[in-house]
Amino acid sequence: MTGASRGIGAAVADRLADLGFAVVGTAQTPAAADAVAARLRARGAEATGIAVDVADPEAVAQLADAVADRYPAVDVLINNAGAVPEATAPRAPLADPGAVRQTLAVNLAGPMYVTDALLPLLRNSPAARIVNVSTRMGSLAEQDDPAAPFYAMTVPAYQAAKAGLNSLTISLAKLLSDTGIVVTSVCPGFVRTDLTPANKDAPLAPEQAAEVVVRAATAPAGAASGTFVDASGPIRW
């Protein structure tokens, strides 16, 4: 699981640990990664923390090698690491260049690199699950619907990245249709995290938001692949 050190990621990692999963959680720094492993081990779980920049293909390749050294297969991959630098970047007519690069690198390129690197281990699992943590703000249908809950919000790079992540979910579902791997995009809702200043006043606690992510991670055999859901059910692409 990427982005396991705080917020939704930490809450999901805790739930998976409680369910008996051996958890490999990533974080941005060695200290944060060590803290992830220590927290999960304190819950009685088998856990490893690895520092990785998901936007760096070489670092991601090293992550995959480290996981392969410990485990013959990966049963669940959760692409959770995310960033919204637009929320605090200097305002521009459309986009701050640095914020755009970071947003696309972390939220879109990162999940592509991580999934590609771990795909051999996912294929070794009899029924692997890939969960891409997305948002309704990445729904093109809802961006164009005045009645949609986040219609008024415009963070172009973040919304484009999450729309791309949703497209990746569809592509992976088609690519892996001859396997037992189920791929899901999940919107956890508006959650109290430090992702943006606005999130600090959000209505959902990370532990509440974690439930829909865990549900996708533990989807039963025969579950539909290539779907986009939140706690209430399917979301329009």
Side-chain angles (χ1 to χ4, degrees):
M1 175 172 186
T2 65
S5 64
R6 55 187 179 176
I8 298 169
V12 172
D14 288 350
R15 285 280 290 115
L16 293 176
D18 292 346
L19 290 172
F21 283 86
V23 180
V24 177
T26 79
Q28 291 180 303
T29 68
D34 290 344
V36 169
R39 186 187 76 244
L40 297 176
R41 288 172 188 155
R43 302 176 80 95
E46 180 181 340
T48 305
I50 300 177
V52 63
D53 176 0
V54 297
D56 180 348
E58 293 185 5
V60 170
Q62 293 172 5
L63 166 68
D65 288 342
V67 175
D69 286 343
R70 292 170 172 82
Y71 302 104
V74 170
D75 295 317
V76 176
L77 166 61
I78 301 177
N79 287 308
N80 170 71
V84 194
E86 285 168 293
T88 54
R91 299 306 300 170
L94 179 62
D96 173 78
V100 170
R101 284 193 294 271
Q102 183 184 1
T103 299
L104 295 177
V106 174
N107 296 290
L108 180 54
M112 295 182 77
Y113 297 149
V114 172
T115 303
D116 186 57
L118 291 175
L119 203 50
L121 292 175
L122 288 158
R123 287 181 177 273
N124 287 345
S125 171
R129 302 290 180 259
I130 300 172
V131 183
N132 293 323
V133 178
S134 186
T135 171
R136 297 183 75 135
M137 294 171 63
S139 163
L140 297 181
E142 296 210 356
Q143 286 184 50
D144 195 41
D145 179 2
F150 299 106
Y151 175 77
M153 297 188 69
T154 53
V155 275
Y158 182 69
Q159 288 171 290
K162 290 301 188 179
L165 183 62
N166 289 342
S167 179
L168 175 63
T169 292
I170 295 171
S171 294
L172 286 170
K174 292 189 289 187
L175 178 68
L176 301 170
S177 62
D178 61 342
T179 73
I181 299 175
V182 175
V183 191
T184 311
S185 274
V186 171
C187 173
F190 190 27
V191 188
R192 287 193 299 276
T193 68
D194 57 4
L195 185 65
T196 75
N199 283 82
K200 296 184 183 302
D201 297 318
L204 292 177
E207 292 74 18
Q208 294 171 291
E211 291 305 313
V212 67
V213 181
V214 172
R215 191 185 311 157
T218 58
S225 188
T227 61
F228 183 22
V229 301
D230 67 5
S232 299
I235 301 172
R236 296 172 295 169
W237 294 107

